[in-house]
Amino acid sequence: MPKSTPKYTLIYWGGIPGRGEYVRLALQYAGEPYDQINNNSVASHLVNPAKTGYPPHFAPPMLKLPGGQIISQTGNILSYLAPKLGLEGTIPEGEDEEAAAVRKAIINQFVLTTLDLNLEAHALEGNVEGGPDGYLYGKTTTTADLTLFHAMCGLEYAFPRRMAALKKENKYQLVWKLKDRVENEPRIASYLASEERVPFGMGIYRHYAELDGED
């Protein structure tokens, strides 16, 4: 079967996973095809309403939508994509408007907490305990799960010795369970094994051996 024409275009720096990876993971998980602009033209999209429309955008990632509009801010993009990609959590039967708003706000709260990188595993551990089988909320994968997954991958790259020690000590088992579950989701596993996955290096998560240790 021919591939469907991508509806979305992700605009982000080339050569690093960075914040753009959170958006890629959502699209990859849902099997949603997308194009990318990751070359020298990225900078020309910044603070340039003549090219991107109003409002201006001050930093990537940016996402070009099917109607041609462009939105930015990682958390905002994920909030937009979540209902369109089936990543907004389990929807209970008979859920009213207020309950739906609260459910979406809770998922977005998890996303924003991880993006803030106030990523204290003991705080997130308590949240993971609220969901079965390593889900942050409900019984299906959400943008919150994918965001935490990528943050954990980044922390393992930045601090491999410390993270390995925590795992060996059985610290934060439910957080690891979530990471392992997402990592083995078929589309995510296929993406991680492909050349599309940009390796960590000099982006947000960097490895400095002198800052890493088992304690």
Side-chain angles (χ1 to χ4, degrees):
M1 292 180 63
K3 291 186 176 180
S4 58
T5 302
K7 295 189 296 184
Y8 302 105
T9 299
L10 175 63
I11 304 166
Y12 195 72
W13 310 117
I16 58 172
R19 293 177 180 85
E21 190 68 8
Y22 296 109
V23 181
R24 290 189 202 97
L25 285 169
L27 294 165
Q28 290 283 348
Y29 180 86
E32 181 68 51
Y34 59 99
D35 286 328
Q36 295 193 77
I37 295 174
N38 54 10
N39 51 32
N40 292 336
S41 69
V42 171
S44 69
H45 290 76
L46 301 178
V47 199
N48 187 358
K51 186 165 187 175
T52 62
Y54 184 83
H57 306 280
F58 296 92
M62 296 170 274
L63 187 70
K64 186 174 183 180
L65 308 180
Q69 307 96 327
I70 293 178
I71 60 175
S72 59
Q73 297 288 345
T74 310
N76 184 49
I77 293 171
L78 292 175
S79 181
Y80 169 86
L81 288 175
K84 299 181 181 300
L85 302 181
L87 292 169
E88 60 176 349
T90 306
I91 303 175
E93 185 177 351
E95 181 182 60
D96 62 25
E97 183 177 352
E98 174 61 17
V102 170
R103 170 175 50 80
K104 294 175 184 178
I106 290 172
I107 291 169
N108 197 43
Q109 177 179 321
F110 283 129
V111 169
L112 295 175
T113 298
T114 302
L115 292 177
D116 281 342
L117 287 183
N118 296 321
L119 188 56
E120 297 185 36
H122 66 267
L124 286 164
E125 170 75 0
N127 293 326
V128 177
E129 286 182 338
D133 300 322
Y135 294 89
L136 276 171
Y137 186 88
K139 299 179 181 179
T140 60
T141 296
T142 66
T143 50
D145 298 323
L146 296 171
T147 304
L148 178 55
F149 164 75
H150 181 58
M152 291 295 290
C153 290
L155 288 170
E156 284 188 302
Y157 174 80
F159 307 107
R161 294 179 62 196
R162 180 58 182 149
M163 295 296 280
L166 288 172
K167 192 170 187 178
K168 186 176 180 180
E169 294 166 8
N170 291 321
K171 295 285 185 69
Y172 320 119
Q173 293 182 52
L174 293 176
V175 176
W176 295 111
K177 188 173 185 179
L178 180 148
K179 179 183 179 293
D180 292 343
R181 179 185 63 75
V182 171
E183 196 166 46
N184 287 290
E185 292 279 2
R187 286 180 180 142
I188 295 297
S190 177
Y191 169 61
L192 295 177
S194 74
E195 294 184 356
E196 293 180 78
R197 171 73 162 180
V198 181
F200 292 106
M202 294 303 292
I204 297 172
Y205 296 102
R206 307 182 186 193
H207 175 58
Y208 297 105
E210 63 273 20
L211 300 179
D212 189 24
E214 295 183 1
D215 297 323

